[in-house]
Amino acid sequence: MNGPGRTSANSPGQASFAALREQLHEAATAFADGPGALEGILLGMVDDVDRAVREPLEIFPVCHHSPASALAMARRLREKQPKVVYLELCEDMAPLLDELRNCRLPVAVQAFASDVDGFPAEWAPLSVVAPITEASAEYQAIAYALDTPGVELVLVDRSSDHVFQWDSRHGERTPQEPPAPADGVPEPEAALHGEAVGVEIGDLRPRFAELEEHLLRHGKVRHWSEWWHQYVEVPLGDSDHEAYRQVMFLVGSLFRRLAPGDGDRVRVDEDRERYMWTRIREHLAAGGADPEDCLYVCGAFHAASRVEEFGVAGSGPFTVSPRSATTWQHGLIPSSHAAIEAQFGLASGSVSIAATQWAKNLKRTRVQPYRLAGQDGAKKPRATRKAAPAVTAPPPEAAEDRLSGFLRRPPVLDTLDEAELLGWSVDIVRAARRSGYLASTADAIAVFETSILLAGMRDRAKPTPYDFQDAAVTCIEKDSVPGRRDVRRLVEIMMGGDRIGRVGYDALPPLARDVHDRLAPLELKLQQRGVQRALLDLSSRPELGACSDVLWMLRRLLPHGAARPIMGERKLGERSIQESWDLALGTHQRALIELGYEGVSIEQVLEQRLRRDAYGPRATTAVVLAAVEDATLYLGSRRLSDELGARALEVLAAERTADGAPEVLRRVRGLLAYYRTAEPVLPPWVESFVKAGYAHYCTLLPTAFTDEDATVGQVAAMLGFLFSMESLALSLGCDRAQLELAVAQSRPTDPERTALLWAAQVQLGALSRAELRERCGELLANPMVVPAYPRYLSGFVHALVPVPGLADVVVEAVSNAFGRLPDPVLLPWLPSLITTLRAGAADLAPLLIREAGRIFPARLTALDAWVPPWREVPEAGAPDGGRTGAAGGGSRGAALLFAHPGTLDAVAELLGCDGTWAAAGDGPAGPVGAVLTARHPDTAIAWESLLTGA
């Protein structure tokens, strides 16, 4: 049978792998009791290896972050010296690769899109990352191609846009979630990639769960990373090039043929393979390069491909779909070993152990790796560098069968390196002591012996780092303390640590460089990880005011902790003269870099975000007012503030509920206070907003009083807006009768809103304070209402928002409850009062406390003779218990006018009025103001004609 997965009987590869085919046929007959499906799988794997080996374009299969792959890649590049390197990486990431020389690995190449066009809006922002470590084959290929003259590097994998186009699951998912840390708290470095989709080279992991379980059980290992290290990584470290290739082809074919029938994932894999081979053939046809001078670096899983487009002579039409209209931004972000492990489902510490294994391989084999010139730790390039002559590779048909010997070869048992294991044991005890463990020399001996014991139980002569890790946990970690590193993590750090990359200044986007330049006067090393303290004395060094502005904007844009103020604040109309900051821009370098994808300056990014918040589909009036406040506070832009203020007016007119009333009230009060002190006149949008808000909340008030979804705090905020903005609204032409009608039409049924309505009536003069006290007394006198009295108090407390002058009445109502209710009634009722006030009016408690401190005596000795003000005998002729006012019909404060008449005499003289002062209490019996109607009858005649229609 001829096809993509089998070779013909006369093909040259049949002779090369004839012995291996015969062995596999005999094995299938013995184990499966006759040839059948097993033979088809085994011989199909040989066909895949044969096909890949015979391809004229040399395929180099790799595994992601494998030291063996990196070592074989470095060795092969120096032997072959290819002129073209095809790399399995998103083709739109090519311009960023040269910037790797300005970074410290590991870093990740990122494609980012905040505004999506062609994808669901809930997917935004889109992010694709490809992490690169020094112990990876792809970095070796990149470093060789970029620093060797005459070598071309071509990325042939799908674009970042196609990653989301082809995958209906919103990105690729690893078959197994990363294991959680022992203490349940993830390391912060594991989140460096965020929610980005990972693109990796060489996804070599069984997709057949039963196969992985079988391999782990018989290999006596705990997870896949340990199995790969023991049975693939170590044996391939000393193999030659052909043996390495054939083994990797075989492993990729095995995992591919035993993959479950996940249609979506198989479709994506095959489309990627078609895409890459199509791009390779297009480049070969356009450039005329000889396939013998090229090298194709791809994952071993894709190297064993069976699609029709496979090879430079492949056939089959494949049309690449056009990209969407989404605009992609590209850059480099810092990465870490923990972030790579978390994103790709690797065991914790496996990438750090791989880095240690890479260093050991280089020291043992003396292979010279490739490193980009100018990178941290790289040697300076020579003045003139010529490419070495290419070594002629053997023809494809001359490839020998290296698999038979490799598979029959017994495992090499490494001898115990006692010095290395003893050093590990001493180092882990030292690290444990620094972390608070009571470790001793006896523990070091126990770890040493236990490591050897565990390796022997697992059929290993030499303990691996994983054996040592298990032994250290067993012997040292006798308990687990929250907030302390566990021993497993200490071993990972000791083995190589969680190396965290850093993007150099030259590789940063313009926004990030601009931030570093503007913060240069602080004289801090902002690219270093960790927290640094910045002290700004703005009074003695006014030039630091620009740095302060940048820091406050960064605090608004970056995650918590990137820029955290310790001393100083910024509010409307307020500026600190001294500030202190904790800065961690190096730790949050990824967030700063992603800001650069949105604009060229932080002012531009902040303005875009404020507009996005204000014009978003879920924008509320409170959100838009917050944007207005931020535009004034951070940008000082009157233009943007006026635009967003007009937007707030539009959103307010469209709202039909009181959900955001408390936040609207708070922000409008703050903006009004600012504009009244900082501006000569109020902005037009503020006046329009007050007028529209007055009419809007008057309309909603009767409904809000009876709406079950509206809280008493929201209704109180509506009344607070109406009462606090009343004078300004009336001066702008609003009608007070609208508010009076709205209050008169309100018919609440629950106690909180009833008490709130009474407070509003007192404010409007429809209810006197004496009548309000009488109603409170009637509530306490009614045994049926006493259980609900705390809810009335809650309403009164909320009423302090619109009517703060009722604080004395609320204190009186609470005091009367404690004084009149008997203990059998008060004690069960008291918890309900406390929980009600705490849940509904915790922020208003300070106002009550201040009022109570003013009313009650300050000393305990004065308490016995103290008489509450509401129980004092009213003076003769003074209604409302001596408290006179407009509602009570008195003339409160009139005595001052008679005692100091000079002020009113001066005003009367300016107005041209004459008259004499009457003695206090000698006023006429009738209304004095009626004389005005006789002096100016035109007003009365106009009113008469208006009312009668005459």
Side-chain angles (χ1 to χ4, degrees), residues 65 105-108 131-133 187-193 333-342 351-352 489 497-501 529:
H65 302 302
L105 300 182
V107 296
I132 298 176
T133 63
E187 293 287 339
E189 290 80 7
L192 285 179
H193 294 173
I333 62 173
S335 182
S336 67
H337 292 172
I340 297 172
E341 294 160 359
V351 179
S352 297
R489 179 63 180 155
D498 183 20
R499 298 180 186 176
I500 302 173
R529 294 184 59 84

PDB file of all heavy atoms in Angstrom, residues 65 105-108 131-133 187-193 333-342 351-352 489 497-501 529:
ATOM      1  N   HIS A  65      12.694  22.966  24.837  1.00  0.00           N
ATOM      2  CA  HIS A  65      13.566  23.197  25.994  1.00  0.00           C
ATOM      3  C   HIS A  65      14.270  21.908  26.417  1.00  0.00           C
ATOM      4  O   HIS A  65      14.341  21.586  27.616  1.00  0.00           O
ATOM      5  CB  HIS A  65      12.770  23.790  27.159  1.00  0.00           C
ATOM      6  CG  HIS A  65      12.096  25.076  26.820  1.00  0.00           C
ATOM      7  ND1 HIS A  65      12.776  26.183  26.366  1.00  0.00           N
ATOM      8  CD2 HIS A  65      10.787  25.427  26.849  1.00  0.00           C
ATOM      9  CE1 HIS A  65      11.921  27.153  26.138  1.00  0.00           C
ATOM     10  NE2 HIS A  65      10.718  26.727  26.406  1.00  0.00           N
ATOM     11  N   LEU A 105      18.206  36.059  28.760  1.00  0.00           N
ATOM     12  CA  LEU A 105      17.271  34.943  28.671  1.00  0.00           C
ATOM     13  C   LEU A 105      16.993  34.377  30.061  1.00  0.00           C
ATOM     14  O   LEU A 105      17.833  34.456  30.962  1.00  0.00           O
ATOM     15  CB  LEU A 105      17.848  33.864  27.757  1.00  0.00           C
ATOM     16  CG  LEU A 105      18.135  34.288  26.314  1.00  0.00           C
ATOM     17  CD1 LEU A 105      18.658  33.103  25.513  1.00  0.00           C
ATOM     18  CD2 LEU A 105      16.899  34.864  25.650  1.00  0.00           C
ATOM     19  N   PRO A 106      15.766  33.812  30.247  1.00  0.00           N
ATOM     20  CA  PRO A 106      14.733  33.565  29.234  1.00  0.00           C
ATOM     21  C   PRO A 106      13.819  34.767  29.025  1.00  0.00           C
ATOM     22  O   PRO A 106      13.477  35.479  29.969  1.00  0.00           O
ATOM     23  CB  PRO A 106      13.947  32.400  29.848  1.00  0.00           C
ATOM     24  CG  PRO A 106      14.093  32.583  31.316  1.00  0.00           C
ATOM     25  CD  PRO A 106      15.460  33.170  31.539  1.00  0.00           C
ATOM     26  N   VAL A 107      13.436  34.957  27.784  1.00  0.00           N
ATOM     27  CA  VAL A 107      12.444  35.948  27.409  1.00  0.00           C
ATOM     28  C   VAL A 107      11.452  35.273  26.467  1.00  0.00           C
ATOM     29  O   VAL A 107      11.656  34.146  26.034  1.00  0.00           O
ATOM     30  CB  VAL A 107      13.071  37.186  26.730  1.00  0.00           C
ATOM     31  CG1 VAL A 107      13.990  37.924  27.688  1.00  0.00           C
ATOM     32  CG2 VAL A 107      13.825  36.787  25.477  1.00  0.00           C
ATOM     33  N   ALA A 108      10.381  35.973  26.172  1.00  0.00           N
ATOM     34  CA  ALA A 108       9.359  35.432  25.280  1.00  0.00           C
ATOM     35  C   ALA A 108       9.050  36.459  24.202  1.00  0.00           C
ATOM     36  O   ALA A 108       8.897  37.653  24.493  1.00  0.00           O
ATOM     37  CB  ALA A 108       8.082  35.078  26.049  1.00  0.00           C
ATOM     38  N   PRO A 131       8.254  31.403  24.318  1.00  0.00           N
ATOM     39  CA  PRO A 131       9.393  31.561  25.228  1.00  0.00           C
ATOM     40  C   PRO A 131      10.654  30.927  24.657  1.00  0.00           C
ATOM     41  O   PRO A 131      10.616  29.907  23.978  1.00  0.00           O
ATOM     42  CB  PRO A 131       8.934  30.837  26.500  1.00  0.00           C
ATOM     43  CG  PRO A 131       7.911  29.867  26.032  1.00  0.00           C
ATOM     44  CD  PRO A 131       7.235  30.482  24.845  1.00  0.00           C
ATOM     45  N   ILE A 132      11.781  31.559  24.935  1.00  0.00           N
ATOM     46  CA  ILE A 132      13.081  31.108  24.430  1.00  0.00           C
ATOM     47  C   ILE A 132      14.059  31.088  25.598  1.00  0.00           C
ATOM     48  O   ILE A 132      14.222  32.090  26.299  1.00  0.00           O
ATOM     49  CB  ILE A 132      13.591  32.030  23.309  1.00  0.00           C
ATOM     50  CG1 ILE A 132      12.629  32.007  22.116  1.00  0.00           C
ATOM     51  CG2 ILE A 132      14.991  31.627  22.870  1.00  0.00           C
ATOM     52  CD1 ILE A 132      13.006  32.954  21.007  1.00  0.00           C
ATOM     53  N   THR A 133      14.676  29.938  25.791  1.00  0.00           N
ATOM     54  CA  THR A 133      15.714  29.782  26.803  1.00  0.00           C
ATOM     55  C   THR A 133      17.039  29.462  26.118  1.00  0.00           C
ATOM     56  O   THR A 133      17.070  29.088  24.945  1.00  0.00           O
ATOM     57  CB  THR A 133      15.359  28.663  27.793  1.00  0.00           C
ATOM     58  OG1 THR A 133      15.285  27.422  27.083  1.00  0.00           O
ATOM     59  CG2 THR A 133      14.029  28.945  28.469  1.00  0.00           C
ATOM     60  N   GLU A 187       3.896  30.603  42.729  1.00  0.00           N
ATOM     61  CA  GLU A 187       4.972  31.585  42.683  1.00  0.00           C
ATOM     62  C   GLU A 187       4.574  32.749  41.782  1.00  0.00           C
ATOM     63  O   GLU A 187       3.955  32.545  40.739  1.00  0.00           O
ATOM     64  CB  GLU A 187       6.244  30.928  42.150  1.00  0.00           C
ATOM     65  CG  GLU A 187       6.840  29.882  43.086  1.00  0.00           C
ATOM     66  CD  GLU A 187       7.494  30.500  44.299  1.00  0.00           C
ATOM     67  OE1 GLU A 187       7.847  31.692  44.232  1.00  0.00           O
ATOM     68  OE2 GLU A 187       7.648  29.804  45.313  1.00  0.00           O
ATOM     69  N   PRO A 188       4.896  33.994  42.158  1.00  0.00           N
ATOM     70  CA  PRO A 188       4.508  35.131  41.314  1.00  0.00           C
ATOM     71  C   PRO A 188       5.156  35.098  39.943  1.00  0.00           C
ATOM     72  O   PRO A 188       4.610  35.608  38.977  1.00  0.00           O
ATOM     73  CB  PRO A 188       4.955  36.345  42.135  1.00  0.00           C
ATOM     74  CG  PRO A 188       5.979  35.825  43.099  1.00  0.00           C
ATOM     75  CD  PRO A 188       5.588  34.407  43.389  1.00  0.00           C
ATOM     76  N   GLU A 189       6.368  34.488  39.835  1.00  0.00           N
ATOM     77  CA  GLU A 189       7.037  34.429  38.542  1.00  0.00           C
ATOM     78  C   GLU A 189       6.298  33.542  37.548  1.00  0.00           C
ATOM     79  O   GLU A 189       6.541  33.604  36.346  1.00  0.00           O
ATOM     80  CB  GLU A 189       8.478  33.918  38.717  1.00  0.00           C
ATOM     81  CG  GLU A 189       9.404  34.896  39.416  1.00  0.00           C
ATOM     82  CD  GLU A 189       9.227  34.878  40.926  1.00  0.00           C
ATOM     83  OE1 GLU A 189       8.469  33.998  41.409  1.00  0.00           O
ATOM     84  OE2 GLU A 189       9.816  35.719  41.620  1.00  0.00           O
ATOM     85  N   ALA A 190       5.394  32.666  38.049  1.00  0.00           N
ATOM     86  CA  ALA A 190       4.668  31.772  37.146  1.00  0.00           C
ATOM     87  C   ALA A 190       3.627  32.509  36.324  1.00  0.00           C
ATOM     88  O   ALA A 190       3.089  31.952  35.369  1.00  0.00           O
ATOM     89  CB  ALA A 190       3.995  30.651  37.944  1.00  0.00           C
ATOM     90  N   ALA A 191       3.328  33.756  36.678  1.00  0.00           N
ATOM     91  CA  ALA A 191       2.307  34.515  35.963  1.00  0.00           C
ATOM     92  C   ALA A 191       2.897  35.544  35.006  1.00  0.00           C
ATOM     93  O   ALA A 191       2.197  36.458  34.591  1.00  0.00           O
ATOM     94  CB  ALA A 191       1.389  35.227  36.959  1.00  0.00           C
ATOM     95  N   LEU A 192       4.170  35.399  34.659  1.00  0.00           N
ATOM     96  CA  LEU A 192       4.803  36.383  33.781  1.00  0.00           C
ATOM     97  C   LEU A 192       4.189  36.393  32.393  1.00  0.00           C
ATOM     98  O   LEU A 192       4.195  37.407  31.709  1.00  0.00           O
ATOM     99  CB  LEU A 192       6.309  36.097  33.676  1.00  0.00           C
ATOM    100  CG  LEU A 192       7.152  36.491  34.896  1.00  0.00           C
ATOM    101  CD1 LEU A 192       8.604  36.132  34.678  1.00  0.00           C
ATOM    102  CD2 LEU A 192       7.022  37.976  35.194  1.00  0.00           C
ATOM    103  N   HIS A 193       3.664  35.259  31.927  1.00  0.00           N
ATOM    104  CA  HIS A 193       3.056  35.201  30.596  1.00  0.00           C
ATOM    105  C   HIS A 193       1.586  35.592  30.610  1.00  0.00           C
ATOM    106  O   HIS A 193       0.987  35.716  29.539  1.00  0.00           O
ATOM    107  CB  HIS A 193       3.191  33.789  30.011  1.00  0.00           C
ATOM    108  CG  HIS A 193       4.603  33.387  29.741  1.00  0.00           C
ATOM    109  ND1 HIS A 193       4.954  32.118  29.351  1.00  0.00           N
ATOM    110  CD2 HIS A 193       5.766  34.085  29.812  1.00  0.00           C
ATOM    111  CE1 HIS A 193       6.266  32.039  29.202  1.00  0.00           C
ATOM    112  NE2 HIS A 193       6.781  33.232  29.483  1.00  0.00           N
ATOM    113  N   ILE A 333       8.931  40.176  26.048  1.00  0.00           N
ATOM    114  CA  ILE A 333       8.547  40.304  27.451  1.00  0.00           C
ATOM    115  C   ILE A 333       9.425  39.367  28.264  1.00  0.00           C
ATOM    116  O   ILE A 333       9.903  38.350  27.764  1.00  0.00           O
ATOM    117  CB  ILE A 333       7.054  39.977  27.681  1.00  0.00           C
ATOM    118  CG1 ILE A 333       6.762  38.523  27.296  1.00  0.00           C
ATOM    119  CG2 ILE A 333       6.170  40.937  26.919  1.00  0.00           C
ATOM    120  CD1 ILE A 333       5.357  38.078  27.647  1.00  0.00           C
ATOM    121  N   PRO A 334       9.680  39.695  29.525  1.00  0.00           N
ATOM    122  CA  PRO A 334      10.486  38.788  30.353  1.00  0.00           C
ATOM    123  C   PRO A 334       9.743  37.487  30.617  1.00  0.00           C
ATOM    124  O   PRO A 334       8.519  37.453  30.721  1.00  0.00           O
ATOM    125  CB  PRO A 334      10.703  39.589  31.642  1.00  0.00           C
ATOM    126  CG  PRO A 334       9.578  40.562  31.675  1.00  0.00           C
ATOM    127  CD  PRO A 334       9.270  40.896  30.248  1.00  0.00           C
ATOM    128  N   SER A 335      10.498  36.423  30.704  1.00  0.00           N
ATOM    129  CA  SER A 335       9.944  35.114  31.005  1.00  0.00           C
ATOM    130  C   SER A 335      10.721  34.512  32.160  1.00  0.00           C
ATOM    131  O   SER A 335      11.671  35.119  32.681  1.00  0.00           O
ATOM    132  CB  SER A 335      10.001  34.212  29.768  1.00  0.00           C
ATOM    133  OG  SER A 335       9.420  32.950  30.030  1.00  0.00           O
ATOM    134  N   SER A 336      10.338  33.334  32.571  1.00  0.00           N
ATOM    135  CA  SER A 336      11.018  32.640  33.666  1.00  0.00           C
ATOM    136  C   SER A 336      10.790  31.155  33.508  1.00  0.00           C
ATOM    137  O   SER A 336       9.894  30.707  32.784  1.00  0.00           O
ATOM    138  CB  SER A 336      10.506  33.125  35.025  1.00  0.00           C
ATOM    139  OG  SER A 336       9.155  32.732  35.215  1.00  0.00           O
ATOM    140  N   HIS A 337      11.599  30.387  34.203  1.00  0.00           N
ATOM    141  CA  HIS A 337      11.420  28.951  34.167  1.00  0.00           C
ATOM    142  C   HIS A 337      10.047  28.556  34.705  1.00  0.00           C
ATOM    143  O   HIS A 337       9.381  27.678  34.165  1.00  0.00           O
ATOM    144  CB  HIS A 337      12.522  28.268  34.975  1.00  0.00           C
ATOM    145  CG  HIS A 337      13.876  28.407  34.355  1.00  0.00           C
ATOM    146  ND1 HIS A 337      15.034  28.008  34.981  1.00  0.00           N
ATOM    147  CD2 HIS A 337      14.268  28.904  33.145  1.00  0.00           C
ATOM    148  CE1 HIS A 337      16.071  28.241  34.193  1.00  0.00           C
ATOM    149  NE2 HIS A 337      15.637  28.800  33.089  1.00  0.00           N
ATOM    150  N   ALA A 338       9.628  29.214  35.782  1.00  0.00           N
ATOM    151  CA  ALA A 338       8.330  28.888  36.370  1.00  0.00           C
ATOM    152  C   ALA A 338       7.189  29.234  35.421  1.00  0.00           C
ATOM    153  O   ALA A 338       6.191  28.512  35.355  1.00  0.00           O
ATOM    154  CB  ALA A 338       8.157  29.628  37.701  1.00  0.00           C
ATOM    155  N   ALA A 339       7.317  30.343  34.687  1.00  0.00           N
ATOM    156  CA  ALA A 339       6.267  30.721  33.743  1.00  0.00           C
ATOM    157  C   ALA A 339       6.166  29.708  32.604  1.00  0.00           C
ATOM    158  O   ALA A 339       5.059  29.357  32.162  1.00  0.00           O
ATOM    159  CB  ALA A 339       6.536  32.118  33.190  1.00  0.00           C
ATOM    160  N   ILE A 340       7.298  29.218  32.121  1.00  0.00           N
ATOM    161  CA  ILE A 340       7.279  28.214  31.052  1.00  0.00           C
ATOM    162  C   ILE A 340       6.658  26.925  31.554  1.00  0.00           C
ATOM    163  O   ILE A 340       5.831  26.300  30.871  1.00  0.00           O
ATOM    164  CB  ILE A 340       8.709  27.981  30.539  1.00  0.00           C
ATOM    165  CG1 ILE A 340       9.268  29.264  29.919  1.00  0.00           C
ATOM    166  CG2 ILE A 340       8.744  26.854  29.525  1.00  0.00           C
ATOM    167  CD1 ILE A 340      10.736  29.177  29.556  1.00  0.00           C
ATOM    168  N   GLU A 341       7.016  26.524  32.763  1.00  0.00           N
ATOM    169  CA  GLU A 341       6.442  25.301  33.325  1.00  0.00           C
ATOM    170  C   GLU A 341       4.943  25.436  33.533  1.00  0.00           C
ATOM    171  O   GLU A 341       4.182  24.505  33.226  1.00  0.00           O
ATOM    172  CB  GLU A 341       7.132  24.990  34.652  1.00  0.00           C
ATOM    173  CG  GLU A 341       8.600  24.633  34.516  1.00  0.00           C
ATOM    174  CD  GLU A 341       9.366  24.802  35.808  1.00  0.00           C
ATOM    175  OE1 GLU A 341       8.745  25.229  36.814  1.00  0.00           O
ATOM    176  OE2 GLU A 341      10.570  24.523  35.824  1.00  0.00           O
ATOM    177  N   ALA A 342       4.500  26.589  34.015  1.00  0.00           N
ATOM    178  CA  ALA A 342       3.070  26.771  34.264  1.00  0.00           C
ATOM    179  C   ALA A 342       2.279  26.813  32.971  1.00  0.00           C
ATOM    180  O   ALA A 342       1.158  26.290  32.906  1.00  0.00           O
ATOM    181  CB  ALA A 342       2.840  28.062  35.066  1.00  0.00           C
ATOM    182  N   VAL A 351      12.361  22.834  34.037  1.00  0.00           N
ATOM    183  CA  VAL A 351      13.141  23.702  33.160  1.00  0.00           C
ATOM    184  C   VAL A 351      14.453  24.112  33.837  1.00  0.00           C
ATOM    185  O   VAL A 351      15.496  24.225  33.183  1.00  0.00           O
ATOM    186  CB  VAL A 351      12.311  24.931  32.754  1.00  0.00           C
ATOM    187  CG1 VAL A 351      13.106  25.857  31.854  1.00  0.00           C
ATOM    188  CG2 VAL A 351      11.039  24.495  32.034  1.00  0.00           C
ATOM    189  N   SER A 352      14.418  24.313  35.157  1.00  0.00           N
ATOM    190  CA  SER A 352      15.656  24.631  35.869  1.00  0.00           C
ATOM    191  C   SER A 352      16.619  23.449  35.838  1.00  0.00           C
ATOM    192  O   SER A 352      17.834  23.613  35.658  1.00  0.00           O
ATOM    193  CB  SER A 352      15.339  25.012  37.314  1.00  0.00           C
ATOM    194  OG  SER A 352      14.543  26.184  37.367  1.00  0.00           O
ATOM    195  N   ARG A 489      10.828  23.412  46.566  1.00  0.00           N
ATOM    196  CA  ARG A 489      11.178  24.659  45.900  1.00  0.00           C
ATOM    197  C   ARG A 489      12.644  25.019  46.153  1.00  0.00           C
ATOM    198  O   ARG A 489      13.334  25.538  45.270  1.00  0.00           O
ATOM    199  CB  ARG A 489      10.248  25.770  46.409  1.00  0.00           C
ATOM    200  CG  ARG A 489      10.522  27.130  45.805  1.00  0.00           C
ATOM    201  CD  ARG A 489      10.298  27.126  44.326  1.00  0.00           C
ATOM    202  NE  ARG A 489      10.557  28.411  43.726  1.00  0.00           N
ATOM    203  CZ  ARG A 489      10.903  28.598  42.465  1.00  0.00           C
ATOM    204  NH1 ARG A 489      11.020  27.559  41.659  1.00  0.00           N
ATOM    205  NH2 ARG A 489      11.114  29.810  41.999  1.00  0.00           N
ATOM    206  N   GLY A 497      17.792  27.358  39.911  1.00  0.00           N
ATOM    207  CA  GLY A 497      16.970  28.510  40.229  1.00  0.00           C
ATOM    208  C   GLY A 497      15.973  28.842  39.151  1.00  0.00           C
ATOM    209  O   GLY A 497      16.061  28.371  38.021  1.00  0.00           O
ATOM    210  N   ASP A 498      15.015  29.622  39.526  1.00  0.00           N
ATOM    211  CA  ASP A 498      14.028  30.083  38.559  1.00  0.00           C
ATOM    212  C   ASP A 498      14.590  31.334  37.884  1.00  0.00           C
ATOM    213  O   ASP A 498      14.341  32.452  38.321  1.00  0.00           O
ATOM    214  CB  ASP A 498      12.701  30.383  39.264  1.00  0.00           C
ATOM    215  CG  ASP A 498      11.636  30.801  38.276  1.00  0.00           C
ATOM    216  OD1 ASP A 498      11.794  30.500  37.080  1.00  0.00           O
ATOM    217  OD2 ASP A 498      10.651  31.429  38.693  1.00  0.00           O
ATOM    218  N   ARG A 499      15.349  31.113  36.847  1.00  0.00           N
ATOM    219  CA  ARG A 499      15.959  32.239  36.152  1.00  0.00           C
ATOM    220  C   ARG A 499      14.880  33.084  35.507  1.00  0.00           C
ATOM    221  O   ARG A 499      14.006  32.576  34.807  1.00  0.00           O
ATOM    222  CB  ARG A 499      16.936  31.721  35.100  1.00  0.00           C
ATOM    223  CG  ARG A 499      18.090  30.926  35.688  1.00  0.00           C
ATOM    224  CD  ARG A 499      19.035  30.441  34.612  1.00  0.00           C
ATOM    225  NE  ARG A 499      20.063  29.563  35.170  1.00  0.00           N
ATOM    226  CZ  ARG A 499      20.977  28.935  34.464  1.00  0.00           C
ATOM    227  NH1 ARG A 499      20.993  29.088  33.143  1.00  0.00           N
ATOM    228  NH2 ARG A 499      21.869  28.145  35.040  1.00  0.00           N
ATOM    229  N   ILE A 500      14.972  34.357  35.742  1.00  0.00           N
ATOM    230  CA  ILE A 500      13.987  35.300  35.229  1.00  0.00           C
ATOM    231  C   ILE A 500      14.678  36.204  34.222  1.00  0.00           C
ATOM    232  O   ILE A 500      15.712  36.812  34.527  1.00  0.00           O
ATOM    233  CB  ILE A 500      13.362  36.125  36.367  1.00  0.00           C
ATOM    234  CG1 ILE A 500      12.703  35.183  37.390  1.00  0.00           C
ATOM    235  CG2 ILE A 500      12.349  37.110  35.820  1.00  0.00           C
ATOM    236  CD1 ILE A 500      12.207  35.884  38.616  1.00  0.00           C
ATOM    237  N   GLY A 501      14.146  36.256  33.027  1.00  0.00           N
ATOM    238  CA  GLY A 501      14.755  37.054  31.979  1.00  0.00           C
ATOM    239  C   GLY A 501      14.487  38.535  32.132  1.00  0.00           C
ATOM    240  O   GLY A 501      13.680  38.971  32.959  1.00  0.00           O
ATOM    241  N   ARG A 529      14.965  43.776  39.202  1.00  0.00           N
ATOM    242  CA  ARG A 529      13.810  43.233  39.887  1.00  0.00           C
ATOM    243  C   ARG A 529      13.875  43.587  41.365  1.00  0.00           C
ATOM    244  O   ARG A 529      14.937  43.862  41.920  1.00  0.00           O
ATOM    245  CB  ARG A 529      13.744  41.717  39.711  1.00  0.00           C
ATOM    246  CG  ARG A 529      13.489  41.286  38.270  1.00  0.00           C
ATOM    247  CD  ARG A 529      13.336  39.792  38.178  1.00  0.00           C
ATOM    248  NE  ARG A 529      12.248  39.301  38.993  1.00  0.00           N
ATOM    249  CZ  ARG A 529      10.983  39.266  38.616  1.00  0.00           C
ATOM    250  NH1 ARG A 529      10.634  39.695  37.417  1.00  0.00           N
ATOM    251  NH2 ARG A 529      10.040  38.790  39.416  1.00  0.00           N
TER     252      ARG A 529
END
